[in-house]
Amino acid sequence: MPARPAGQKAIIEAARQEFSEQGYGATSIRDIAQRAGVSLSALYYYKGKQDLLVAILDEGLDAYFDACDEALANAGDDPAQRLEALVSATVRFRTEHPVQSNIVLSEGRSLEPEHIERYHKNEARGTQQFRDVIERGVAEGIFLTPYPDDARRAVIAMCNAIAQWYRTDGPVDIDELVERYVSLALTVVEYRPRTARRRTA
């Protein structure tokens, strides 16, 4: 995505903060303009709140999927390594971008009909990333859960919820949190490391 001009960045950031603090429905264009320190006429680039919400969701989803794609590209072929990569990328993104994450996770319902289909496609893409990895692990016999869909939902839900409660000044740093959540995710799917195959004579 091309870089936005400084004025647009200020407006987007103001909208992001207002939506996060007040909610999309309670935020007005005037609130956004005041927070950005611009006149209402400076928002001419956007048709209204809906355009700003779409821009924020697009940026947040693009950044999240970029992080996941990079993590998967650097992971091995083993399903456990790939699940670790996805969980690590998700935990880091939710902790490092909590405002962006919470808007993406909570304000999709505020989209108008012409925008909701693309949002749902992105939701499906995020779901499919985890589904592919978990189903492959089950097929290869290293994830022993009999409930792969429930396991996927549990892993995604616990990672996403981090954005709501994690504080950088809390007792757990991000690296430790990543380790904990990778361990939890592998426990949920009932991971059993593949045993070495015996060489036949």
Side-chain angles (χ1 to χ4, degrees):
M1 181 177 292
R4 299 182 185 277
Q8 287 182 30
K9 285 183 180 179
I11 292 167
I12 287 287
E13 184 55 33
R16 183 180 290 120
Q17 294 297 328
E18 287 292 325
F19 293 162
S20 175
E21 294 170 12
Q22 308 298 330
Y24 176 82
T27 298
S28 70
I29 283 293
R30 187 174 299 276
D31 293 332
I32 295 168
Q34 288 178 345
R35 185 159 198 151
V38 300
S39 65
L40 284 173
S41 61
L43 274 71
Y44 70 91
Y45 184 81
Y46 301 99
K47 296 177 182 177
K49 281 197 309 180
Q50 187 70 191
D51 270 11
L52 287 164
L53 178 60
V54 169
I56 290 168
L57 291 176
D58 283 349
E59 285 190 356
L61 288 164
D62 285 348
Y64 171 67
F65 286 125
D66 284 348
C68 288
D69 290 345
E70 181 178 358
L72 288 172
N74 292 324
D77 193 48
D78 184 78
Q81 294 177 346
R82 297 185 73 74
L83 181 58
E84 177 177 354
L86 279 176
V87 170
S88 298
T90 303
V91 171
R92 289 190 184 281
F93 192 85
R94 299 297 178 232
T95 54
E96 294 169 0
H97 307 282
V99 172
Q100 208 168 25
S101 293
N102 280 322
I103 292 173
V104 168
L105 296 170
S106 66
E107 291 295 355
R109 64 181 183 272
S110 300
L111 288 169
E112 293 172 0
E114 61 265 33
H115 303 300
I116 197 71
E117 183 178 356
R118 181 171 55 175
Y119 178 77
H120 284 162
K121 284 182 179 178
N122 278 316
E123 278 191 320
R125 177 184 174 187
T127 296
Q128 194 63 43
Q129 286 184 140
F130 280 89
R131 177 182 285 122
D132 288 345
V133 169
I134 291 173
E135 288 185 351
R136 182 177 166 197
V138 170
E140 293 185 8
I142 62 172
F143 296 166
L144 301 186
T145 175
Y147 314 112
D149 281 341
D150 294 314
R152 168 185 51 77
R153 281 188 285 267
V155 170
I156 292 173
M158 73 178 187
C159 292
N160 285 346
I162 291 171
Q164 298 175 349
W165 62 263
Y166 183 78
R167 298 292 179 269
T168 55
D169 58 355
V172 181
D173 65 27
I174 294 177
D175 289 339
E176 172 63 20
L177 193 68
V178 167
E179 289 299 314
R180 292 183 184 185
Y181 272 66
V182 167
S183 177
L184 286 168
L186 292 174
T187 298
V188 168
V189 299
E190 297 186 37
Y191 170 55
R192 300 293 184 272
R194 185 184 289 107
T195 57
R197 295 179 180 175
R198 292 186 178 183
R199 183 175 299 174
T200 58

